[in-house]
Amino acid sequence: MARFTPTELADHLREGLLSFPATAFTPELDVDEKRYREHVEWQAGFGVAGLFAAGGTGEGFSLDAAESAAVVRAAVQSSRPEVPVLASAGGWTRHAIANARAAEEAGAEGILVLPPYLTECDQRGLLEHVSAIASATRLAIIVYNRGNAIYSAETMAILTDRHENVIGFKDATGDIEHLASVYVRNGERLFYLGGLPTAETYALPLLQMGMSTYSSAMFNFVPEFALEFYQDVRAQDRAAVTEKLGRFVLPYIAIRDRGRGFGVSIVKAGLRLTGRGVGPVRPPLHDLSAQDDADLAQLLDRAGLLESVPV
């Protein structure tokens, strides 16, 4: 049973940092539910506003339907009541509906609608895709604006008119003109969250576009740093944000950019290096090299983050 109405969830999520817990795997690449539960419980112990299970950083693209449902259920059971868990709905429309219903059964509070798989989409198709999902569940719906799913301001307005449970707009494009159009047309009817890779880089300027929150991957392994960064952004403390960008975020991105898909791999490396490993990534991703690991360890040490990570 959901603890938040969709409107309450939007109000809650827009005022705090969000994250996607990495899914734990065994060396044989099976889901390690025990380790995952421990990770979510630890993550939920910090002042995070919400956790997205089986999402991008959680390698949801590698999970089958049963695994995805199990991961969402484990996250719901391991989080605190104050930290709602949201799930993902991806693939073609009926598959996404099945994801949404399984998440509702598991006790999730909301759904992030991922771009449809491997097809081009016009606005009519995107409208009906999200509308079908929103009609199939009572859970709150957040759309993910990226890839082949770029939602116009008008499409979002129609969706919010049709469905009270459509509450959020997550952006991974950084297209300022498009974001302005969506915000001007929809205003506070939606909440807006940043979803660009290593969102901290863009957080301060996008705050001016109405994006009061974002999803932090690095919260997985340096949660206190991630929360301090978010607080600096909300306070519009440019000096503090700039210092943290230079001390850790930008050098971290330089390591991440050494390989495709390293946005997840570097998170799992960070977890290993801070003593909270959750296993390897699944193909088609691969783990960082030994040199990458060593460089990340050196960066964490130089930034003063290894000693500050609670264990």
mmCIF file with all atom_site columns, all heavy atoms in Angstrom, residues 12-20 48-52 86 142 191 193-194 200 213-217 219 227 230:
data_model
loop_
_atom_site.group_PDB
_atom_site.id
_atom_site.type_symbol
_atom_site.label_atom_id
_atom_site.label_alt_id
_atom_site.label_comp_id
_atom_site.label_asym_id
_atom_site.label_entity_id
_atom_site.label_seq_id
_atom_site.pdbx_PDB_ins_code
_atom_site.Cartn_x
_atom_site.Cartn_y
_atom_site.Cartn_z
_atom_site.occupancy
_atom_site.B_iso_or_equiv
_atom_site.pdbx_formal_charge
_atom_site.auth_seq_id
_atom_site.auth_comp_id
_atom_site.auth_asym_id
_atom_site.auth_atom_id
_atom_site.pdbx_PDB_model_num
ATOM 1   N N   . HIS A 1 12  ? 7.358  15.735 -1.927  1.00 0.00 ? 12  HIS A N   1
ATOM 2   C CA  . HIS A 1 12  ? 8.453  15.158 -1.152  1.00 0.00 ? 12  HIS A CA  1
ATOM 3   C C   . HIS A 1 12  ? 9.728  15.062 -1.983  1.00 0.00 ? 12  HIS A C   1
ATOM 4   O O   . HIS A 1 12  ? 10.811 15.471 -1.543  1.00 0.00 ? 12  HIS A O   1
ATOM 5   C CB  . HIS A 1 12  ? 8.034  13.775 -0.650  1.00 0.00 ? 12  HIS A CB  1
ATOM 6   C CG  . HIS A 1 12  ? 9.115  13.048 0.089   1.00 0.00 ? 12  HIS A CG  1
ATOM 7   N ND1 . HIS A 1 12  ? 9.396  13.281 1.414   1.00 0.00 ? 12  HIS A ND1 1
ATOM 8   C CD2 . HIS A 1 12  ? 9.986  12.085 -0.317  1.00 0.00 ? 12  HIS A CD2 1
ATOM 9   C CE1 . HIS A 1 12  ? 10.391 12.503 1.802   1.00 0.00 ? 12  HIS A CE1 1
ATOM 10  N NE2 . HIS A 1 12  ? 10.769 11.762 0.769   1.00 0.00 ? 12  HIS A NE2 1
ATOM 11  N N   . LEU A 1 13  ? 9.623  14.553 -3.191  1.00 0.00 ? 13  LEU A N   1
ATOM 12  C CA  . LEU A 1 13  ? 10.811 14.308 -4.010  1.00 0.00 ? 13  LEU A CA  1
ATOM 13  C C   . LEU A 1 13  ? 11.467 15.593 -4.487  1.00 0.00 ? 13  LEU A C   1
ATOM 14  O O   . LEU A 1 13  ? 12.696 15.646 -4.624  1.00 0.00 ? 13  LEU A O   1
ATOM 15  C CB  . LEU A 1 13  ? 10.447 13.437 -5.211  1.00 0.00 ? 13  LEU A CB  1
ATOM 16  C CG  . LEU A 1 13  ? 9.962  12.021 -4.908  1.00 0.00 ? 13  LEU A CG  1
ATOM 17  C CD1 . LEU A 1 13  ? 9.598  11.305 -6.206  1.00 0.00 ? 13  LEU A CD1 1
ATOM 18  C CD2 . LEU A 1 13  ? 10.999 11.227 -4.130  1.00 0.00 ? 13  LEU A CD2 1
ATOM 19  N N   . ARG A 1 14  ? 10.678 16.625 -4.739  1.00 0.00 ? 14  ARG A N   1
ATOM 20  C CA  . ARG A 1 14  ? 11.248 17.855 -5.294  1.00 0.00 ? 14  ARG A CA  1
ATOM 21  C C   . ARG A 1 14  ? 12.128 18.590 -4.294  1.00 0.00 ? 14  ARG A C   1
ATOM 22  O O   . ARG A 1 14  ? 12.898 19.474 -4.658  1.00 0.00 ? 14  ARG A O   1
ATOM 23  C CB  . ARG A 1 14  ? 10.165 18.808 -5.815  1.00 0.00 ? 14  ARG A CB  1
ATOM 24  C CG  . ARG A 1 14  ? 9.225  19.335 -4.786  1.00 0.00 ? 14  ARG A CG  1
ATOM 25  C CD  . ARG A 1 14  ? 8.409  20.563 -5.259  1.00 0.00 ? 14  ARG A CD  1
ATOM 26  N NE  . ARG A 1 14  ? 7.902  20.515 -6.593  1.00 0.00 ? 14  ARG A NE  1
ATOM 27  C CZ  . ARG A 1 14  ? 6.648  20.224 -6.941  1.00 0.00 ? 14  ARG A CZ  1
ATOM 28  N NH1 . ARG A 1 14  ? 5.767  19.911 -5.980  1.00 0.00 ? 14  ARG A NH1 1
ATOM 29  N NH2 . ARG A 1 14  ? 6.256  20.243 -8.189  1.00 0.00 ? 14  ARG A NH2 1
ATOM 30  N N   . GLU A 1 15  ? 12.062 18.217 -3.023  1.00 0.00 ? 15  GLU A N   1
ATOM 31  C CA  . GLU A 1 15  ? 12.801 18.949 -1.996  1.00 0.00 ? 15  GLU A CA  1
ATOM 32  C C   . GLU A 1 15  ? 13.995 18.185 -1.436  1.00 0.00 ? 15  GLU A C   1
ATOM 33  O O   . GLU A 1 15  ? 14.523 18.543 -0.379  1.00 0.00 ? 15  GLU A O   1
ATOM 34  C CB  . GLU A 1 15  ? 11.860 19.337 -0.848  1.00 0.00 ? 15  GLU A CB  1
ATOM 35  C CG  . GLU A 1 15  ? 10.764 20.300 -1.258  1.00 0.00 ? 15  GLU A CG  1
ATOM 36  C CD  . GLU A 1 15  ? 11.319 21.606 -1.827  1.00 0.00 ? 15  GLU A CD  1
ATOM 37  O OE1 . GLU A 1 15  ? 12.409 22.035 -1.392  1.00 0.00 ? 15  GLU A OE1 1
ATOM 38  O OE2 . GLU A 1 15  ? 10.664 22.192 -2.709  1.00 0.00 ? 15  GLU A OE2 1
ATOM 39  N N   . GLY A 1 16  ? 14.450 17.142 -2.122  1.00 0.00 ? 16  GLY A N   1
ATOM 40  C CA  . GLY A 1 16  ? 15.597 16.406 -1.606  1.00 0.00 ? 16  GLY A CA  1
ATOM 41  C C   . GLY A 1 16  ? 16.356 15.702 -2.710  1.00 0.00 ? 16  GLY A C   1
ATOM 42  O O   . GLY A 1 16  ? 15.896 15.606 -3.850  1.00 0.00 ? 16  GLY A O   1
ATOM 43  N N   . LEU A 1 17  ? 17.525 15.189 -2.368  1.00 0.00 ? 17  LEU A N   1
ATOM 44  C CA  . LEU A 1 17  ? 18.364 14.467 -3.324  1.00 0.00 ? 17  LEU A CA  1
ATOM 45  C C   . LEU A 1 17  ? 17.791 13.081 -3.593  1.00 0.00 ? 17  LEU A C   1
ATOM 46  O O   . LEU A 1 17  ? 17.226 12.443 -2.698  1.00 0.00 ? 17  LEU A O   1
ATOM 47  C CB  . LEU A 1 17  ? 19.780 14.333 -2.769  1.00 0.00 ? 17  LEU A CB  1
ATOM 48  C CG  . LEU A 1 17  ? 20.828 13.703 -3.695  1.00 0.00 ? 17  LEU A CG  1
ATOM 49  C CD1 . LEU A 1 17  ? 21.061 14.578 -4.916  1.00 0.00 ? 17  LEU A CD1 1
ATOM 50  C CD2 . LEU A 1 17  ? 22.131 13.476 -2.943  1.00 0.00 ? 17  LEU A CD2 1
ATOM 51  N N   . LEU A 1 18  ? 17.949 12.606 -4.831  1.00 0.00 ? 18  LEU A N   1
ATOM 52  C CA  . LEU A 1 18  ? 17.471 11.288 -5.238  1.00 0.00 ? 18  LEU A CA  1
ATOM 53  C C   . LEU A 1 18  ? 18.650 10.435 -5.687  1.00 0.00 ? 18  LEU A C   1
ATOM 54  O O   . LEU A 1 18  ? 19.689 10.959 -6.093  1.00 0.00 ? 18  LEU A O   1
ATOM 55  C CB  . LEU A 1 18  ? 16.459 11.425 -6.385  1.00 0.00 ? 18  LEU A CB  1
ATOM 56  C CG  . LEU A 1 18  ? 15.329 12.424 -6.155  1.00 0.00 ? 18  LEU A CG  1
ATOM 57  C CD1 . LEU A 1 18  ? 14.482 12.577 -7.407  1.00 0.00 ? 18  LEU A CD1 1
ATOM 58  C CD2 . LEU A 1 18  ? 14.474 12.000 -4.974  1.00 0.00 ? 18  LEU A CD2 1
ATOM 59  N N   . SER A 1 19  ? 18.486 9.111  -5.646  1.00 0.00 ? 19  SER A N   1
ATOM 60  C CA  . SER A 1 19  ? 19.563 8.237  -6.102  1.00 0.00 ? 19  SER A CA  1
ATOM 61  C C   . SER A 1 19  ? 19.019 6.906  -6.577  1.00 0.00 ? 19  SER A C   1
ATOM 62  O O   . SER A 1 19  ? 17.856 6.574  -6.329  1.00 0.00 ? 19  SER A O   1
ATOM 63  C CB  . SER A 1 19  ? 20.607 8.016  -5.007  1.00 0.00 ? 19  SER A CB  1
ATOM 64  O OG  . SER A 1 19  ? 21.758 7.370  -5.532  1.00 0.00 ? 19  SER A OG  1
ATOM 65  N N   . PHE A 1 20  ? 19.895 6.166  -7.270  1.00 0.00 ? 20  PHE A N   1
ATOM 66  C CA  . PHE A 1 20  ? 19.574 4.848  -7.817  1.00 0.00 ? 20  PHE A CA  1
ATOM 67  C C   . PHE A 1 20  ? 20.536 3.833  -7.214  1.00 0.00 ? 20  PHE A C   1
ATOM 68  O O   . PHE A 1 20  ? 21.705 3.782  -7.630  1.00 0.00 ? 20  PHE A O   1
ATOM 69  C CB  . PHE A 1 20  ? 19.729 4.838  -9.344  1.00 0.00 ? 20  PHE A CB  1
ATOM 70  C CG  . PHE A 1 20  ? 18.668 5.588  -10.087 1.00 0.00 ? 20  PHE A CG  1
ATOM 71  C CD1 . PHE A 1 20  ? 18.594 6.967  -10.028 1.00 0.00 ? 20  PHE A CD1 1
ATOM 72  C CD2 . PHE A 1 20  ? 17.742 4.908  -10.866 1.00 0.00 ? 20  PHE A CD2 1
ATOM 73  C CE1 . PHE A 1 20  ? 17.613 7.666  -10.729 1.00 0.00 ? 20  PHE A CE1 1
ATOM 74  C CE2 . PHE A 1 20  ? 16.764 5.589  -11.567 1.00 0.00 ? 20  PHE A CE2 1
ATOM 75  C CZ  . PHE A 1 20  ? 16.699 6.974  -11.493 1.00 0.00 ? 20  PHE A CZ  1
ATOM 76  N N   . VAL A 1 48  ? 18.335 11.099 2.157   1.00 0.00 ? 48  VAL A N   1
ATOM 77  C CA  . VAL A 1 48  ? 17.950 11.082 0.753   1.00 0.00 ? 48  VAL A CA  1
ATOM 78  C C   . VAL A 1 48  ? 16.431 11.102 0.648   1.00 0.00 ? 48  VAL A C   1
ATOM 79  O O   . VAL A 1 48  ? 15.737 10.552 1.497   1.00 0.00 ? 48  VAL A O   1
ATOM 80  C CB  . VAL A 1 48  ? 18.559 9.845  0.042   1.00 0.00 ? 48  VAL A CB  1
ATOM 81  C CG1 . VAL A 1 48  ? 17.946 8.552  0.553   1.00 0.00 ? 48  VAL A CG1 1
ATOM 82  C CG2 . VAL A 1 48  ? 18.457 9.942  -1.459  1.00 0.00 ? 48  VAL A CG2 1
ATOM 83  N N   . ALA A 1 49  ? 15.912 11.763 -0.385  1.00 0.00 ? 49  ALA A N   1
ATOM 84  C CA  . ALA A 1 49  ? 14.457 11.914 -0.499  1.00 0.00 ? 49  ALA A CA  1
ATOM 85  C C   . ALA A 1 49  ? 13.787 10.698 -1.099  1.00 0.00 ? 49  ALA A C   1
ATOM 86  O O   . ALA A 1 49  ? 12.609 10.423 -0.815  1.00 0.00 ? 49  ALA A O   1
ATOM 87  C CB  . ALA A 1 49  ? 14.122 13.145 -1.338  1.00 0.00 ? 49  ALA A CB  1
ATOM 88  N N   . GLY A 1 50  ? 14.481 9.962  -1.966  1.00 0.00 ? 50  GLY A N   1
ATOM 89  C CA  . GLY A 1 50  ? 13.877 8.794  -2.603  1.00 0.00 ? 50  GLY A CA  1
ATOM 90  C C   . GLY A 1 50  ? 14.927 7.964  -3.305  1.00 0.00 ? 50  GLY A C   1
ATOM 91  O O   . GLY A 1 50  ? 15.994 8.463  -3.681  1.00 0.00 ? 50  GLY A O   1
ATOM 92  N N   . LEU A 1 51  ? 14.619 6.683  -3.488  1.00 0.00 ? 51  LEU A N   1
ATOM 93  C CA  . LEU A 1 51  ? 15.524 5.740  -4.147  1.00 0.00 ? 51  LEU A CA  1
ATOM 94  C C   . LEU A 1 51  ? 14.789 5.062  -5.293  1.00 0.00 ? 51  LEU A C   1
ATOM 95  O O   . LEU A 1 51  ? 13.654 4.619  -5.141  1.00 0.00 ? 51  LEU A O   1
ATOM 96  C CB  . LEU A 1 51  ? 16.027 4.688  -3.163  1.00 0.00 ? 51  LEU A CB  1
ATOM 97  C CG  . LEU A 1 51  ? 16.879 5.200  -1.993  1.00 0.00 ? 51  LEU A CG  1
ATOM 98  C CD1 . LEU A 1 51  ? 17.138 4.076  -0.997  1.00 0.00 ? 51  LEU A CD1 1
ATOM 99  C CD2 . LEU A 1 51  ? 18.199 5.787  -2.499  1.00 0.00 ? 51  LEU A CD2 1
ATOM 100 N N   . PHE A 1 52  ? 15.451 4.990  -6.448  1.00 0.00 ? 52  PHE A N   1
ATOM 101 C CA  . PHE A 1 52  ? 14.895 4.347  -7.632  1.00 0.00 ? 52  PHE A CA  1
ATOM 102 C C   . PHE A 1 52  ? 15.534 2.970  -7.784  1.00 0.00 ? 52  PHE A C   1
ATOM 103 O O   . PHE A 1 52  ? 16.733 2.876  -8.066  1.00 0.00 ? 52  PHE A O   1
ATOM 104 C CB  . PHE A 1 52  ? 15.162 5.186  -8.877  1.00 0.00 ? 52  PHE A CB  1
ATOM 105 C CG  . PHE A 1 52  ? 14.371 6.457  -8.952  1.00 0.00 ? 52  PHE A CG  1
ATOM 106 C CD1 . PHE A 1 52  ? 14.708 7.552  -8.169  1.00 0.00 ? 52  PHE A CD1 1
ATOM 107 C CD2 . PHE A 1 52  ? 13.282 6.560  -9.812  1.00 0.00 ? 52  PHE A CD2 1
ATOM 108 C CE1 . PHE A 1 52  ? 13.985 8.739  -8.238  1.00 0.00 ? 52  PHE A CE1 1
ATOM 109 C CE2 . PHE A 1 52  ? 12.548 7.736  -9.890  1.00 0.00 ? 52  PHE A CE2 1
ATOM 110 C CZ  . PHE A 1 52  ? 12.896 8.823  -9.094  1.00 0.00 ? 52  PHE A CZ  1
ATOM 111 N N   . LEU A 1 86  ? 10.976 3.974  -5.776  1.00 0.00 ? 86  LEU A N   1
ATOM 112 C CA  . LEU A 1 86  ? 10.321 4.001  -7.078  1.00 0.00 ? 86  LEU A CA  1
ATOM 113 C C   . LEU A 1 86  ? 10.973 2.958  -7.966  1.00 0.00 ? 86  LEU A C   1
ATOM 114 O O   . LEU A 1 86  ? 12.126 2.583  -7.760  1.00 0.00 ? 86  LEU A O   1
ATOM 115 C CB  . LEU A 1 86  ? 10.413 5.381  -7.721  1.00 0.00 ? 86  LEU A CB  1
ATOM 116 C CG  . LEU A 1 86  ? 9.719  6.517  -6.942  1.00 0.00 ? 86  LEU A CG  1
ATOM 117 C CD1 . LEU A 1 86  ? 10.659 7.167  -5.941  1.00 0.00 ? 86  LEU A CD1 1
ATOM 118 C CD2 . LEU A 1 86  ? 9.176  7.565  -7.893  1.00 0.00 ? 86  LEU A CD2 1
ATOM 119 N N   . ILE A 1 142 ? 6.672  9.291  -13.483 1.00 0.00 ? 142 ILE A N   1
ATOM 120 C CA  . ILE A 1 142 ? 7.669  10.270 -13.912 1.00 0.00 ? 142 ILE A CA  1
ATOM 121 C C   . ILE A 1 142 ? 8.151  9.842  -15.286 1.00 0.00 ? 142 ILE A C   1
ATOM 122 O O   . ILE A 1 142 ? 8.496  8.672  -15.490 1.00 0.00 ? 142 ILE A O   1
ATOM 123 C CB  . ILE A 1 142 ? 8.862  10.308 -12.934 1.00 0.00 ? 142 ILE A CB  1
ATOM 124 C CG1 . ILE A 1 142 ? 8.398  10.677 -11.529 1.00 0.00 ? 142 ILE A CG1 1
ATOM 125 C CG2 . ILE A 1 142 ? 9.940  11.273 -13.423 1.00 0.00 ? 142 ILE A CG2 1
ATOM 126 C CD1 . ILE A 1 142 ? 9.443  10.416 -10.450 1.00 0.00 ? 142 ILE A CD1 1
ATOM 127 N N   . PHE A 1 191 ? 7.032  18.124 -11.076 1.00 0.00 ? 191 PHE A N   1
ATOM 128 C CA  . PHE A 1 191 ? 8.333  18.434 -10.494 1.00 0.00 ? 191 PHE A CA  1
ATOM 129 C C   . PHE A 1 191 ? 9.381  17.965 -11.491 1.00 0.00 ? 191 PHE A C   1
ATOM 130 O O   . PHE A 1 191 ? 9.156  17.073 -12.304 1.00 0.00 ? 191 PHE A O   1
ATOM 131 C CB  . PHE A 1 191 ? 8.498  17.835 -9.096  1.00 0.00 ? 191 PHE A CB  1
ATOM 132 C CG  . PHE A 1 191 ? 9.048  16.432 -9.058  1.00 0.00 ? 191 PHE A CG  1
ATOM 133 C CD1 . PHE A 1 191 ? 10.396 16.205 -8.826  1.00 0.00 ? 191 PHE A CD1 1
ATOM 134 C CD2 . PHE A 1 191 ? 8.211  15.332 -9.241  1.00 0.00 ? 191 PHE A CD2 1
ATOM 135 C CE1 . PHE A 1 191 ? 10.910 14.919 -8.788  1.00 0.00 ? 191 PHE A CE1 1
ATOM 136 C CE2 . PHE A 1 191 ? 8.714  14.048 -9.201  1.00 0.00 ? 191 PHE A CE2 1
ATOM 137 C CZ  . PHE A 1 191 ? 10.067 13.836 -8.972  1.00 0.00 ? 191 PHE A CZ  1
ATOM 138 N N   . LEU A 1 193 ? 13.439 16.946 -12.432 1.00 0.00 ? 193 LEU A N   1
ATOM 139 C CA  . LEU A 1 193 ? 14.692 16.429 -11.893 1.00 0.00 ? 193 LEU A CA  1
ATOM 140 C C   . LEU A 1 193 ? 15.709 16.213 -12.995 1.00 0.00 ? 193 LEU A C   1
ATOM 141 O O   . LEU A 1 193 ? 15.368 15.822 -14.115 1.00 0.00 ? 193 LEU A O   1
ATOM 142 C CB  . LEU A 1 193 ? 14.479 15.133 -11.105 1.00 0.00 ? 193 LEU A CB  1
ATOM 143 C CG  . LEU A 1 193 ? 13.871 13.924 -11.794 1.00 0.00 ? 193 LEU A CG  1
ATOM 144 C CD1 . LEU A 1 193 ? 14.377 12.640 -11.138 1.00 0.00 ? 193 LEU A CD1 1
ATOM 145 C CD2 . LEU A 1 193 ? 12.350 13.946 -11.699 1.00 0.00 ? 193 LEU A CD2 1
ATOM 146 N N   . GLY A 1 194 ? 16.949 16.486 -12.655 1.00 0.00 ? 194 GLY A N   1
ATOM 147 C CA  . GLY A 1 194 ? 18.030 16.329 -13.610 1.00 0.00 ? 194 GLY A CA  1
ATOM 148 C C   . GLY A 1 194 ? 18.462 14.883 -13.707 1.00 0.00 ? 194 GLY A C   1
ATOM 149 O O   . GLY A 1 194 ? 18.601 14.191 -12.696 1.00 0.00 ? 194 GLY A O   1
ATOM 150 N N   . GLU A 1 200 ? 25.647 16.183 -10.898 1.00 0.00 ? 200 GLU A N   1
ATOM 151 C CA  . GLU A 1 200 ? 26.206 17.267 -10.102 1.00 0.00 ? 200 GLU A CA  1
ATOM 152 C C   . GLU A 1 200 ? 26.801 18.367 -10.980 1.00 0.00 ? 200 GLU A C   1
ATOM 153 O O   . GLU A 1 200 ? 26.751 19.550 -10.633 1.00 0.00 ? 200 GLU A O   1
ATOM 154 C CB  . GLU A 1 200 ? 27.286 16.728 -9.152  1.00 0.00 ? 200 GLU A CB  1
ATOM 155 C CG  . GLU A 1 200 ? 26.765 16.053 -7.911  1.00 0.00 ? 200 GLU A CG  1
ATOM 156 C CD  . GLU A 1 200 ? 26.322 14.614 -8.106  1.00 0.00 ? 200 GLU A CD  1
ATOM 157 O OE1 . GLU A 1 200 ? 26.407 14.105 -9.248  1.00 0.00 ? 200 GLU A OE1 1
ATOM 158 O OE2 . GLU A 1 200 ? 25.884 13.976 -7.126  1.00 0.00 ? 200 GLU A OE2 1
ATOM 159 N N   . THR A 1 213 ? 15.890 19.231 -8.028  1.00 0.00 ? 213 THR A N   1
ATOM 160 C CA  . THR A 1 213 ? 16.559 18.015 -7.579  1.00 0.00 ? 213 THR A CA  1
ATOM 161 C C   . THR A 1 213 ? 17.156 17.284 -8.778  1.00 0.00 ? 213 THR A C   1
ATOM 162 O O   . THR A 1 213 ? 16.964 17.674 -9.927  1.00 0.00 ? 213 THR A O   1
ATOM 163 C CB  . THR A 1 213 ? 15.594 17.103 -6.804  1.00 0.00 ? 213 THR A CB  1
ATOM 164 O OG1 . THR A 1 213 ? 16.334 15.994 -6.263  1.00 0.00 ? 213 THR A OG1 1
ATOM 165 C CG2 . THR A 1 213 ? 14.468 16.580 -7.685  1.00 0.00 ? 213 THR A CG2 1
ATOM 166 N N   . TYR A 1 214 ? 17.899 16.240 -8.471  1.00 0.00 ? 214 TYR A N   1
ATOM 167 C CA  . TYR A 1 214 ? 18.527 15.425 -9.500  1.00 0.00 ? 214 TYR A CA  1
ATOM 168 C C   . TYR A 1 214 ? 18.852 14.068 -8.896  1.00 0.00 ? 214 TYR A C   1
ATOM 169 O O   . TYR A 1 214 ? 18.758 13.860 -7.677  1.00 0.00 ? 214 TYR A O   1
ATOM 170 C CB  . TYR A 1 214 ? 19.800 16.097 -10.050 1.00 0.00 ? 214 TYR A CB  1
ATOM 171 C CG  . TYR A 1 214 ? 20.817 16.486 -8.992  1.00 0.00 ? 214 TYR A CG  1
ATOM 172 C CD1 . TYR A 1 214 ? 21.806 15.590 -8.571  1.00 0.00 ? 214 TYR A CD1 1
ATOM 173 C CD2 . TYR A 1 214 ? 20.800 17.756 -8.412  1.00 0.00 ? 214 TYR A CD2 1
ATOM 174 C CE1 . TYR A 1 214 ? 22.739 15.943 -7.607  1.00 0.00 ? 214 TYR A CE1 1
ATOM 175 C CE2 . TYR A 1 214 ? 21.723 18.113 -7.444  1.00 0.00 ? 214 TYR A CE2 1
ATOM 176 C CZ  . TYR A 1 214 ? 22.694 17.209 -7.048  1.00 0.00 ? 214 TYR A CZ  1
ATOM 177 O OH  . TYR A 1 214 ? 23.605 17.563 -6.087  1.00 0.00 ? 214 TYR A OH  1
ATOM 178 N N   . SER A 1 215 ? 19.209 13.127 -9.760  1.00 0.00 ? 215 SER A N   1
ATOM 179 C CA  . SER A 1 215 ? 19.580 11.792 -9.276  1.00 0.00 ? 215 SER A CA  1
ATOM 180 C C   . SER A 1 215 ? 21.093 11.691 -9.239  1.00 0.00 ? 215 SER A C   1
ATOM 181 O O   . SER A 1 215 ? 21.771 11.929 -10.240 1.00 0.00 ? 215 SER A O   1
ATOM 182 C CB  . SER A 1 215 ? 18.982 10.702 -10.172 1.00 0.00 ? 215 SER A CB  1
ATOM 183 O OG  . SER A 1 215 ? 19.342 10.892 -11.528 1.00 0.00 ? 215 SER A OG  1
ATOM 184 N N   . SER A 1 216 ? 21.630 11.355 -8.078  1.00 0.00 ? 216 SER A N   1
ATOM 185 C CA  . SER A 1 216 ? 23.070 11.290 -7.865  1.00 0.00 ? 216 SER A CA  1
ATOM 186 C C   . SER A 1 216 ? 23.534 9.845  -7.833  1.00 0.00 ? 216 SER A C   1
ATOM 187 O O   . SER A 1 216 ? 23.192 9.093  -6.908  1.00 0.00 ? 216 SER A O   1
ATOM 188 C CB  . SER A 1 216 ? 23.447 11.980 -6.550  1.00 0.00 ? 216 SER A CB  1
ATOM 189 O OG  . SER A 1 216 ? 24.812 11.770 -6.251  1.00 0.00 ? 216 SER A OG  1
ATOM 190 N N   . ALA A 1 217 ? 24.350 9.454  -8.822  1.00 0.00 ? 217 ALA A N   1
ATOM 191 C CA  . ALA A 1 217 ? 24.914 8.102  -8.820  1.00 0.00 ? 217 ALA A CA  1
ATOM 192 C C   . ALA A 1 217 ? 25.977 7.962  -7.747  1.00 0.00 ? 217 ALA A C   1
ATOM 193 O O   . ALA A 1 217 ? 26.088 6.915  -7.094  1.00 0.00 ? 217 ALA A O   1
ATOM 194 C CB  . ALA A 1 217 ? 25.488 7.770  -10.193 1.00 0.00 ? 217 ALA A CB  1
ATOM 195 N N   . PHE A 1 219 ? 26.086 9.134  -4.906  1.00 0.00 ? 219 PHE A N   1
ATOM 196 C CA  . PHE A 1 219 ? 25.505 8.929  -3.577  1.00 0.00 ? 219 PHE A CA  1
ATOM 197 C C   . PHE A 1 219 ? 25.674 7.479  -3.135  1.00 0.00 ? 219 PHE A C   1
ATOM 198 O O   . PHE A 1 219 ? 25.728 7.190  -1.934  1.00 0.00 ? 219 PHE A O   1
ATOM 199 C CB  . PHE A 1 219 ? 24.020 9.306  -3.590  1.00 0.00 ? 219 PHE A CB  1
ATOM 200 C CG  . PHE A 1 219 ? 23.320 9.098  -2.272  1.00 0.00 ? 219 PHE A CG  1
ATOM 201 C CD1 . PHE A 1 219 ? 23.391 10.052 -1.282  1.00 0.00 ? 219 PHE A CD1 1
ATOM 202 C CD2 . PHE A 1 219 ? 22.592 7.938  -2.029  1.00 0.00 ? 219 PHE A CD2 1
ATOM 203 C CE1 . PHE A 1 219 ? 22.741 9.848  -0.057  1.00 0.00 ? 219 PHE A CE1 1
ATOM 204 C CE2 . PHE A 1 219 ? 21.948 7.732  -0.817  1.00 0.00 ? 219 PHE A CE2 1
ATOM 205 C CZ  . PHE A 1 219 ? 22.028 8.697  0.175   1.00 0.00 ? 219 PHE A CZ  1
ATOM 206 N N   . LEU A 1 227 ? 25.315 14.574 -0.526  1.00 0.00 ? 227 LEU A N   1
ATOM 207 C CA  . LEU A 1 227 ? 24.306 15.382 0.158   1.00 0.00 ? 227 LEU A CA  1
ATOM 208 C C   . LEU A 1 227 ? 24.802 16.798 0.423   1.00 0.00 ? 227 LEU A C   1
ATOM 209 O O   . LEU A 1 227 ? 24.047 17.765 0.292   1.00 0.00 ? 227 LEU A O   1
ATOM 210 C CB  . LEU A 1 227 ? 23.896 14.709 1.470   1.00 0.00 ? 227 LEU A CB  1
ATOM 211 C CG  . LEU A 1 227 ? 22.999 13.481 1.313   1.00 0.00 ? 227 LEU A CG  1
ATOM 212 C CD1 . LEU A 1 227 ? 22.942 12.695 2.615   1.00 0.00 ? 227 LEU A CD1 1
ATOM 213 C CD2 . LEU A 1 227 ? 21.591 13.881 0.872   1.00 0.00 ? 227 LEU A CD2 1
ATOM 214 N N   . TYR A 1 230 ? 24.531 18.674 -2.789  1.00 0.00 ? 230 TYR A N   1
ATOM 215 C CA  . TYR A 1 230 ? 23.149 19.059 -3.062  1.00 0.00 ? 230 TYR A CA  1
ATOM 216 C C   . TYR A 1 230 ? 22.732 20.260 -2.220  1.00 0.00 ? 230 TYR A C   1
ATOM 217 O O   . TYR A 1 230 ? 22.069 21.180 -2.705  1.00 0.00 ? 230 TYR A O   1
ATOM 218 C CB  . TYR A 1 230 ? 22.217 17.875 -2.796  1.00 0.00 ? 230 TYR A CB  1
ATOM 219 C CG  . TYR A 1 230 ? 20.751 18.209 -2.964  1.00 0.00 ? 230 TYR A CG  1
ATOM 220 C CD1 . TYR A 1 230 ? 20.209 18.413 -4.231  1.00 0.00 ? 230 TYR A CD1 1
ATOM 221 C CD2 . TYR A 1 230 ? 19.910 18.343 -1.865  1.00 0.00 ? 230 TYR A CD2 1
ATOM 222 C CE1 . TYR A 1 230 ? 18.873 18.742 -4.399  1.00 0.00 ? 230 TYR A CE1 1
ATOM 223 C CE2 . TYR A 1 230 ? 18.568 18.664 -2.018  1.00 0.00 ? 230 TYR A CE2 1
ATOM 224 C CZ  . TYR A 1 230 ? 18.063 18.870 -3.287  1.00 0.00 ? 230 TYR A CZ  1
ATOM 225 O OH  . TYR A 1 230 ? 16.732 19.204 -3.438  1.00 0.00 ? 230 TYR A OH  1
#
